[in-house]
Amino acid sequence: MPASEKLIAPEAAALLAAPEDGAKSLPVWLVRDAEGLAAVPLDGAQKAWVEAQGFKGTARKHVLLPGENGSLAGALVGLGPASARDPMDRPEIASGTLPALLPPGVYHLAGALDDVELAAVAWGLGAYRFRRYKTSAGGSEGLARLRMSAGGSGAAAIIEGVWLGRDLINTPASDMGPQELEDAARALAAVHGAQVSCIAGDDLLTNFPMIHAVGRASDRAPRLIDLSWGRAGAASVTLVGKGICFDTGGLDLKPASAMLIMKKDMGGAAAALALAHMIMASKLNVRLRVLIPAAENSVAGNAFRPGDVLKSRAGKTVEIGNTDAEGRLVLADALALADEEKPDTLVSFATLTGAARVALGPELPPFYTDDEAFAAEISAAGNRVGDPVWRMPFWSSYETNLDSQVADMNNVSEGPFAGSVTAALFLRRFVKQARRFAHFDIYGWRPAPKPLGPKGGEVQAARALFDLLRKSRG
Ligand code: BES
Ligand code: MN
Ligand code: ZN
């Protein structure tokens, strides 16, 4: 199978049956409480069966409904009481638990749903499993399929994008270095007729010195991947994704516990490519550019050191206070290039700081922007599609955290406070001309299974941005 086909997870779409697909489908009722249960049209035998099971609509409980002659007639799935304040507590999102819960077959969601596309997306996201290194058979063939109602047709592109991003993150660094990340971008581009160029190794020295410095200790050459697609006259959208294929911390080496999941440090690149797939597959009317500074932050005799001073693409000099703050260095050079084109929308995605997780935990990535209207749109879109994000401030008074005695700036603060804000302020220094800019400090990882996906690599903020863009540029 060509890499491109494999990369875009063709099985994702197979989980969804078109509304007109001839196969018969069984109803699944999502039930919150006794009142909801009473509204389900059950026959006498089914009612008795449900009662005998003690099913009352409690969250994470379900019963299969008997049909004639021992056949399956459908299922009831409990949601528990609604929490109006929680955007993740919606029946559409709970649909993500169903493909693994129900016997193989084709189902439809019975009863009224506010958002049929979200229910289909959740179904597909919940069905994802990373099986690349499993030698036993298994895959999505045996999983329950969802027949979509009319209105769910946009779901496939979204699911495929997220599956692609998760595959990229979950693939261990031994098989996902800077070259393989470039290959993935090229495979995606081939599917959609996009262009890719790449500057690698010592060719970075002239114009992208910080990408080179971060990546030079690895025997897998660092690079800047540059994908472009779309109509020349359309509004420009540039996505920049942190592509650190493995983050040892460099000479400021991470302890084992912190290094364990650092294959995910290209999660920003994965989010950018996932979003790029959604945009290109839906043929949004934008001019898209994706920039991925890809490098491995490794340890070797030629590694960059604490105390070194790097020159950046933008001309400013940066003193290295900590080699583990490498993401902002590679992003600064990529953002400077992006900014030169004055894009209408510039977005960066990066697994940038542990501090973001201290503040908001793994499920709620902070984002930063100076554009009030953009901020409101981003927050609303995230809640709408179950890809929540939370605004934090570019707090200018903390700019002094980045003061340096010897260079134009340091890459880290001396103190322990406001780590995510400080990193965001560092990035903002390299963005001067974009019409609007937002930066997402994502985690890129789901530490425990939830309705929208299993434990492992996660694409964050991409679905939120896609929803925002298609509402204005569809
Ligand atoms: N990739 C890490 C950030 C990270 C760590 C994200 C754990 C998610 C989970 C980044 O390169 C890093 O190491 N940041 C340092 C910055 C510090 C040295 C100022 C951090 O957060 O500790
Ligand atoms: Mn680091
Ligand atoms: Zn990192």
Side-chain angles (χ1 to χ4, degrees):
M1 186 188 298
S4 55
E5 272 175 49
K6 215 173 78 223
L7 272 161
I8 310 201
E11 323 97 278
L15 284 162
L16 306 177
E20 65 277 10
D21 185 325
K24 183 166 153 290
S25 58
L26 300 174
V28 182
W29 302 89
L30 300 166
V31 176
R32 288 216 179 268
D33 50 22
E35 197 185 323
L37 182 55
V40 180
L42 300 174
D43 65 26
Q46 290 172 333
K47 234 180 224 147
W49 174 250
V50 169
E51 225 172 273
Q53 306 272 328
F55 178 83
K56 293 190 175 65
T58 308
R60 290 178 293 279
K61 300 270 185 221
H62 77 289
V63 283
L64 300 176
L65 295 173
E68 273 170 41
N69 303 320
S71 66
L72 181 63
L76 302 180
V77 177
L79 298 176
S83 154
R85 268 176 278 122
D86 180 357
M88 300 307 278
D89 181 28
R90 282 179 286 166
E92 288 86 350
I93 287 173
S95 142
T97 59
L98 302 178
L101 193 71
L102 300 172
V106 183
Y107 298 84
H108 63 270
L109 297 172
L113 286 174
D114 292 334
D115 186 342
V116 294
E117 183 190 273
L118 178 56
V121 167
W123 189 288
L125 297 187
Y128 174 87
R129 297 291 180 272
F130 182 64
R131 298 198 51 87
R132 178 164 169 179
Y133 300 90
K134 296 279 190 192
T135 55
S136 61
S140 50
E141 300 84 43
L143 288 174
R145 298 173 67 212
L146 174 70
R147 177 196 306 289
M148 291 181 294
S149 343
S153 61
I158 298 172
I159 297 167
E160 287 164 359
V162 173
W163 280 35
L164 162 66
R166 288 176 179 173
D167 281 352
L168 296 175
I169 298 172
N170 286 328
T171 301
S174 55
D175 288 330
M176 189 51 64
Q179 177 69 60
E180 288 84 359
L181 203 48
E182 178 188 341
D183 295 345
R186 288 190 185 279
L188 182 67
V191 171
H192 298 292
Q195 310 301 315
V196 175
S197 65
C198 189
I199 302 172
D202 287 348
D203 290 346
L204 292 164
L205 277 168
T206 335
N207 290 319
F208 301 96
M210 298 207 295
I211 301 175
H212 185 274
V214 167
R216 74 185 183 213
S218 170
D219 51 19
R220 304 196 289 179
R223 64 205 63 210
L224 178 63
I225 304 159
D226 187 346
L227 177 151
S228 55
W229 174 89
R231 194 170 55 78
S236 53
V237 175
T238 299
L239 313 176
V240 178
K242 172 176 171 181
I244 296 296
C245 295
F246 195 76
D247 184 8
T248 65
L251 293 176
D252 288 308
L253 196 66
K254 286 183 185 294
S257 59
M259 207 188 294
L260 188 60
I261 56 172
M262 280 301 134
K263 68 174 181 182
K264 79 171 173 72
D265 213 19
M266 33 58 72
L273 290 172
L275 175 53
H277 173 71
M278 296 172 202
I279 290 172
M280 296 188 290
S282 328
K283 302 199 164 47
L284 290 199
N285 184 25
V286 298
R287 181 158 59 90
L288 174 68
R289 185 178 195 188
V290 181
L291 290 170
I292 297 173
E296 223 183 325
N297 188 17
S298 298
V299 182
N302 66 339
F304 76 127
R305 312 163 189 85
D308 282 358
V309 174
L310 306 182
K311 182 135 191 165
S312 68
R313 172 179 180 82
K316 296 276 180 209
T317 55
V318 180
E319 181 189 8
I320 302 305
N322 193 314
T323 62
D324 199 8
E326 83 297 338
R328 63 195 75 181
L329 302 173
V330 300
L331 288 167
D333 275 359
L335 283 169
L337 173 67
D339 194 56
E340 288 159 20
E341 251 199 335
K342 302 187 176 62
D344 293 301
T345 301
L346 176 56
V347 178
S348 57
F349 301 99
T351 49
L352 203 59
T353 68
R357 255 42 59 189
V358 174
L360 296 174
E363 292 181 18
L364 193 58
F367 73 92
Y368 299 83
T369 180
D370 284 318
D371 185 317
E372 298 300 317
F374 195 27
E377 279 182 66
I378 291 168
S379 298
N383 286 344
R384 200 157 54 226
V385 301
D387 188 14
V389 290
W390 201 263
R391 189 183 187 190
M392 300 224 294
F394 275 128
W395 192 256
S396 297
S397 156
Y398 295 159
E399 288 280 5
T400 52
N401 284 354
L402 295 168
D403 289 351
S404 163
Q405 295 294 306
V406 299
D408 295 333
M409 66 190 89
N410 201 293
N411 75 328
V412 293
S413 166
E414 272 175 2
F417 301 131
S420 178
V421 177
T422 305
L425 289 172
F426 184 93
L427 297 185
R428 189 176 68 168
R429 293 180 176 208
F430 298 87
V431 178
K432 302 223 143 61
Q433 308 189 78
R435 194 173 63 75
R436 56 182 190 178
F437 167 56
H439 157 62
F440 292 81
D441 192 338
I442 64 175
Y443 192 52
W445 193 260
R446 185 182 286 285
K450 289 275 161 92
L452 292 187
K455 175 179 172 177
E458 185 54 298
V459 168
Q460 291 179 309
R463 290 187 296 116
L465 261 295
F466 176 62
D467 197 59
L468 180 160
L469 289 172
R470 74 175 166 177
K471 293 229 150 54
S472 52
R473 313 261 191 277

